[in-house]
Amino acid sequence: MLNHIKQFANYKTPFYWYDMGLLQETLQVVKNESEKYGFQVHYAIKANANEPILNMIQSFGFGADCVSGNEIQAAIDSNFSPEKIVFAGVGKSDDEILLGLDNSIFCFNVESIPELQVINELASKVGTKAQVALRINPNVNASTHHYITTGLEENKFGINMWEMEAVLSRLETSDSINLIGLHFHIGSQITDLQSFKSLCVRINEIQQWFYSREIIVDHINVGGGLGINYSSPDKELIPDFASYFKLFNDFLETRPKQKVHFELGRAIVGQCGSLISKVLYIKKGVQTNFAIIDAGMTELIRPALYQSVHKIQNLSSNLIEQKYDVVGPICESSDSFGKSLMLPETKRGDLIAVRSAGAYGEVMSSQYNLRTKAMAYYSGTPNKSK
Ligand code: LLP
């Protein structure tokens, strides 16, 4: 990153900076490791929907995991094949469902009985059949932040197993629906692979339940959720995809010809992005100094929303380290990137990098306080912005 500091001086801060070389290397690893087992990967567009990023991911032949009509449209605009587009979400609107049907997307991941009914009605109205996977709530704890845990009965996502007999009766009378898969997703930023092992064990039990009713689906979609190393990104710029995919190969019991699908977001794009900001003021505090930077929770809401840690680097100074609270300019006390951080002596005008901002950074930005939307720049495609 330090190699780019001269180039950074030309850009107005704050801005997002994406290392397209790292993205490419990461994608190559994902491809190699998943192909070993014939696994199919859909990129979760919600993590980062920038055009150059989507284009590069698409060029590796991956599919897309979408959660809105606009994400489906973005996937299509970036040439993702509709046969590789999956559409999830607890609240799909009629227009969004119709967009999916119009484009003959691969699969709707259905989250409730009423949704199944609406998809059936709409598909019948437009004279087509919808391919669906049932998103099942496996009731497996992902041991991550409670805001990004999704696979517990108390969460709004997925259908619970105790409802499954009713779902099957509904399917029997749903002539415009083809059941092709079972879908699961237990949460995000999961760093303990044991949680994925528990998911496999649970899926095996659930498959047995379906099998005993003579139902074998074409594919099992295990969702996403693989975490990244936020505290020491340079130690692990590319997550351990080899162990991740191997675990599913070792523990998930598939039926003959059954495919396994994944929906990875953060693990693919997280480490390739940084939020680059400038120090506006150093303000004396009681215990520590405040380094007030020109990026805030409007550009990266993760620390304020999930108390998440992002490594912070001063790119301009190599002086002796001191303690700083690094905060943004937004009128909220939660607008803080970290307290009592050791940074080289920092002064007005220094460039600060907030690392690992490639996933759920720019896509979650807001214009609160009427802030201007920050630009994005990409290494390898100089000055290309969006
Ligand atoms: N599939 C489904 C059904 C999902 O809900 C998600 C993420 C993914 C796949 C992709 O998960 P990933 O591989 O990226 O962990 N804004 C939060 C994360 C929210 C995740 C929402 N669902 C954050 O900044 O940590």
Side-chain angles (χ1 to χ4, degrees), residues 209-224:
W209 187 95
F210 280 90
Y211 197 53
S212 66
R213 284 157 184 79
E214 294 177 355
I215 298 172
I216 302 180
V217 290
D218 301 342
H219 77 272
I220 301 292
N221 182 335
V222 297

Side-chain angles (χ1 to χ4, degrees), residues 66-67 87-92 109-111 115 135 157:
C66 304
V67 288
F87 182 20
V90 290
K92 302 177 187 77
N109 293 334
V110 170
E111 309 231 7
E115 182 192 332
R135 175 166 181 181
F157 300 99

